[in-house]
Amino acid sequence: MMQIELVVHNADIRTMRAERPRAEALAVAGGRIVALGSSADMLALAGPETRRLNAGGRMVLPGLQDAHIHLLNGGTDMVSGPVLYDATSVEALQAALRGFAKANPNGPVMGMGWQAGIFTDENLGRAVLDAAIPDRPCMLYDSSFHNAVINTAAMRAVALTTGQPDPPNGHFVLDAQGTPTGMLHEEATGWVRNRLPPTSHETHMKGLAMGQAHANRHGITGVLDAMIVDDNARAYAEAAANGTLTLRVAGTALVRPEDTAQTALERLSALRASHRDPLFTVHSGKFFFDGVLENRTAAMLEPYADSPGGNAPLMFEPAKIAALFKALDAARFQIHVHAIGDYAVRAALDGIESARRANGNWPALHQIAHIQMLHGSDLPRFRALGVMANMQPLWAIYDPVVPDLWMDMVGEARLPMVYALRDLLDAGAPLCLSSDFPVSTLNPFEIMQTAVTRAASAQARPFQPHQAITIAEALAGYTTAAAAACWRSHETGAIFPGAHADLIVIDRDISTCDPFEIGGTKVLATLLAGVEVYRDTQFDG
């Protein structure tokens, strides 16, 4: 007779399954759910060694999943440099740098999070950083991680001097005399980072521990890490092997414009073959088709609407897109594309369509991430091609602090199709929600609140409210749809017999509370395979 390890009882369980949407209790054996029913029936299955979790009548959900996150890199950035999201002036940024440098007197300073709507090519450069950190290399990424700024010591360390050509898909910002200012756009950030001392494995492991604890605290039990390179894979694999990984990780390995179909396929195949742990797998290829609107590198079908105008090219040639997509699709890799502009989105759809024509249809759920801009004529293609729209609705608001400069670039006529969640769902598109942490918070409840309200607060003007979705749709975006996006919906993302006992207990009923209170939801307990990986100190269940 199987031994019941855990009974969760006195609960309001939302299963995310239509055939049995609610239950009062569940039983777990071997890390999986084996039965659902009344508290009395489930407690009757318990033995003397069975753990009991009394939810106190609170809502219990499947563990949430973030299908576009940079968990390891975000955690690493949290331990290796200052976090600058709240800096709203040069003085505040410099104060944060000085504070971190004083507390951490050795090695390069690698910070993150300055806001591109506040700091620009005109007011941020090496001189600003030199005033705070003059004696060792310093590199600070913006909140999107598509721009960075370095100080003079870092410029010396990487030999960035006047006359250095821009790297492919990147740009060194220059002053009137042609001297680099220290500001970097797109692949110029990679050019610099690859010439600075590498992050140590020890720092990566500390970052992973911090990142996954941060995720578990917010109810996340599964992720798709959206840019895996060798160092990331090594850290995740080590944590999986030594039993310290507290969530399920699927990885998407970076594919670069210089790759051929052969080099990409060889590298991804080696990663997939090497990482088949139940908690860590590599199953997809990541492509950056464009940059971001804030630095004018988003690829649009029509030019930018502001006075400078202009546009940006795709980062991959269309012929190369077709060749790479066909090869990876044929080898049964999932394809995961960063696309901000509507031209980048269309190019991704075109590439997936060419792969389907060549290889036939299979349940890949290839993904296009972000989709800040979308042309209406491309809406039906998501359903027709089985493409998952992987979106971050936290950004679909009028920001109360950071100027929304990108709206002028988009122009009034195109704003109705910005983060078009409602239109995509109505067109039958598969849709999951995610964070892109550390670009923004990974708190799924704040993100779901914005998806439902499209406003920064109850008093704020909503942004394109016709694109709002329901809380039921938002919750599916973080459970059933996210699990499908991560290729684990057969055993996660819902509560049913046979599923992993990945569960969370939360402090309110998000289906009935004021929509503007969803973001304040507190996770009381997070379980992975029936084992607590987070518990709020005030929860006594």
Side-chain angles (χ1 to χ4, degrees):
M1 182 176 179
M2 67 180 167
Q3 180 158 347
I4 300 300
E5 300 161 356
L6 169 70
V7 169
V8 179
H9 62 101
N10 189 20
D12 180 11
I13 298 170
R14 307 298 176 91
T15 68
M16 304 305 297
R17 284 278 179 111
E19 63 271 22
R20 185 174 192 171
R22 300 176 82 158
E24 188 183 28
L26 59 82
V28 176
R32 294 181 183 264
I33 297 162
V34 294
L36 294 160
S38 69
S39 291
D41 287 346
M42 296 300 101
L43 286 170
L45 300 175
E49 304 299 319
T50 301
R51 292 176 286 117
R52 295 162 173 81
L53 192 158
N54 184 344
R58 298 180 183 91
M59 181 176 277
V60 172
L61 296 170
L64 305 182
Q65 304 196 39
D66 192 322
H68 187 101
I69 191 172
H70 304 280
L71 182 78
L72 174 57
N73 288 346
T76 300
D77 288 334
M78 292 168 72
V79 302
S80 62
V83 179
L84 304 167
Y85 294 97
D86 296 329
T88 57
S89 68
V90 165
E91 293 75 19
L93 185 146
Q94 290 172 328
L97 288 178
R98 292 188 183 102
F100 183 87
K102 183 177 180 180
N104 302 270
N106 301 311
V109 174
M110 304 295 296
M112 66 170 181
W114 54 267
Q115 300 285 359
I118 295 172
F119 301 103
T120 67
D121 293 352
E122 285 69 42
N123 66 6
L124 187 60
R126 58 191 170 96
V128 171
L129 274 58
D130 290 347
I133 301 182
D135 55 347
R136 52 182 164 143
C138 176
M139 182 174 186
L140 309 177
Y141 288 93
D142 79 334
S143 61
S144 76
F145 286 75
H146 286 257
N147 305 295
V149 60
I150 57 176
N151 66 354
T152 300
M155 288 178 62
R156 292 195 197 101
V158 302
L160 176 56
T161 59
T162 302
Q164 174 64 47
D166 284 340
N169 296 320
H171 176 57
F172 301 113
V173 177
L174 308 177
D175 64 18
Q177 289 71 46
T179 303
T181 68
M183 282 291 284
L184 315 168
H185 294 174
E186 297 299 335
E187 284 303 309
T189 64
W191 186 95
V192 168
R193 186 67 189 92
N194 291 337
R195 288 162 174 77
L196 288 172
T199 302
S200 70
H201 181 63
E202 179 185 14
T203 300
H204 276 310
M205 296 308 293
K206 289 179 180 177
L208 175 54
M210 179 170 284
Q212 67 179 6
H214 188 47
N216 293 154
R217 187 163 60 252
H218 288 93
I220 296 171
T221 58
V223 301
L224 194 155
D225 192 309
M227 193 175 73
I228 292 286
V229 295
D230 288 344
D231 288 347
N232 306 99
R234 179 185 173 198
Y236 280 129
E238 181 175 313
N242 65 25
T244 59
L245 198 57
T246 61
L247 36 63
R248 305 181 193 281
V249 181
T252 177
L254 183 63
V255 180
R256 297 186 179 278
E258 60 268 26
D259 270 314
T260 64
Q262 180 178 352
T263 61
L265 195 56
E266 288 175 353
R267 184 172 67 255
L268 268 64
S269 296
L271 282 167
R272 180 168 64 181
S274 300
H275 302 295
R276 295 184 178 274
D277 188 275
L279 290 182
F280 176 54
T281 60
V282 177
H283 69 42
S284 52
K286 169 66 176 291
F287 295 78
F288 284 92
F289 273 16
D290 65 350
V292 292
L293 281 161
E294 287 79 2
N295 67 11
R296 311 185 78 84
T297 56
M300 303 286 283
L301 290 168
E302 301 293 337
Y304 300 144
D306 59 357
S307 56
N311 208 333
L314 289 174
M315 292 181 173
F316 283 77
E317 292 293 330
K320 178 163 276 192
I321 292 171
L324 286 164
F325 279 25
K326 288 175 185 177
L328 293 181
D329 179 80
R332 295 305 188 251
F333 284 98
Q334 190 183 63
I335 292 164
H336 193 111
V337 183
H338 166 111
I340 293 288
D342 50 12
Y343 180 35
V345 173
R346 180 169 293 178
L349 292 167
D350 289 346
I352 292 167
E353 186 172 12
S354 69
R356 279 191 58 169
R357 282 199 304 266
N359 303 322
N361 186 27
W362 61 285
L365 277 180
H366 296 313
Q367 298 184 51
I368 304 178
H370 311 313
I371 318 178
Q372 184 169 355
M373 295 303 309
L374 175 65
H375 194 279
S377 64
D378 288 321
L379 277 168
R381 301 181 71 193
F382 283 83
R383 178 181 180 181
L385 296 171
V387 174
M388 175 71 74
N390 187 325
M391 300 181 73
Q392 298 76 45
L394 187 75
W395 307 332
I397 58 170
Y398 292 106
D399 196 297
V401 177
V402 181
D404 294 311
L405 302 179
W406 61 268
M407 290 190 188
D408 292 334
M409 301 178 206
V410 170
E412 195 70 30
R414 289 183 289 200
L415 284 179
M417 292 300 292
V418 172
Y419 299 119
L421 281 76
R422 178 78 270 148
D423 284 354
L424 280 160
L425 278 173
D426 288 348
L431 173 71
C432 69
L433 306 186
S434 57
S435 69
D436 203 16
F437 171 83
V439 173
S440 68
T441 179
L442 57 66
N443 184 336
F445 298 99
E446 290 183 22
I447 293 167
M448 284 190 276
Q449 174 177 307
T450 308
V452 172
T453 65
R454 304 280 292 204
S457 69
Q459 294 73 42
R461 178 166 62 111
F463 175 74
Q464 306 300 324
H466 66 283
Q467 295 292 1
I469 62 176
T470 68
I471 184 57
E473 290 165 337
L475 185 55
Y478 262 108
T479 54
T480 52
C486 297
W487 283 7
R488 54 174 89 98
S489 60
H490 60 293
E491 55 188 1
T492 70
I495 296 173
F496 57 92
H500 289 297
D502 299 350
L503 308 164
I504 62 172
V505 183
I506 60 176
D507 71 343
R508 68 197 65 186
D509 184 342
I510 59 173
S511 68
T512 60
C513 72
D514 185 312
F516 286 98
E517 293 180 359
I518 295 170
T521 300
K522 181 181 290 187
V523 175
L524 302 177
T526 303
L527 289 75
L528 182 77
V531 176
E532 287 189 13
V533 292
Y534 170 74
R535 173 180 278 258
D536 184 87
T537 56
Q538 303 301 310
F539 179 51
D540 59 0

